[in-house]
Each structure stands twice: as structure tokens, then as C-alpha cells.
Amino acid sequence: MSTLKFKSNIKCSGCANTVEPFLKKVDGITDWSVDFGSPDKLLSVETTDATADEITSAVESAGYLLTKI
């Protein structure tokens, strides 16, 4: 299991609710969260085998941007 971290423009819980169904479609994600208190709105994703590209693609499909850190 690994944790991938991304800067995002997911700004609120409503935005996170929009992203959730897209992340649920990615195999290997076991948990995820957004730190809304962080200026970079850090998205942390716990995964067994999902890649950063798969996660980025899913979130971009929901209309949000990610930058891997």
C-alpha cells in the first residue's frame, strides 16, 4: 500500500462529492481525502496499485486539476 499526494483545486466538500464517483471507478484506491485547510488543497490517496496517472485522469474527468507532489 502506498500514499500518493497531489496539489488540487478541490476547494470544498461539494467539490469532493463531485470527484468521489470518478475516484471510485479507479481500481486499487482504498481511501482518499482532501486537506481543505491546506493552501494547496492536498489530495491524499491510499492505493494498492492505482497509478498517479490513473488518479489524475479520474479527477480531471470530474473537472478538477491535480499536480503530483
Side-chain angles (χ1 to χ4, degrees), residues 26-48:
V26 179
D27 290 333
I29 293 178
T30 58
D31 195 24
W32 65 277
S33 64
V34 179
D35 180 357
F36 298 115
S38 163
D40 292 324
K41 309 300 184 228
L42 293 177
L43 169 68
S44 298
V45 180
E46 297 286 331
T47 178
T48 55

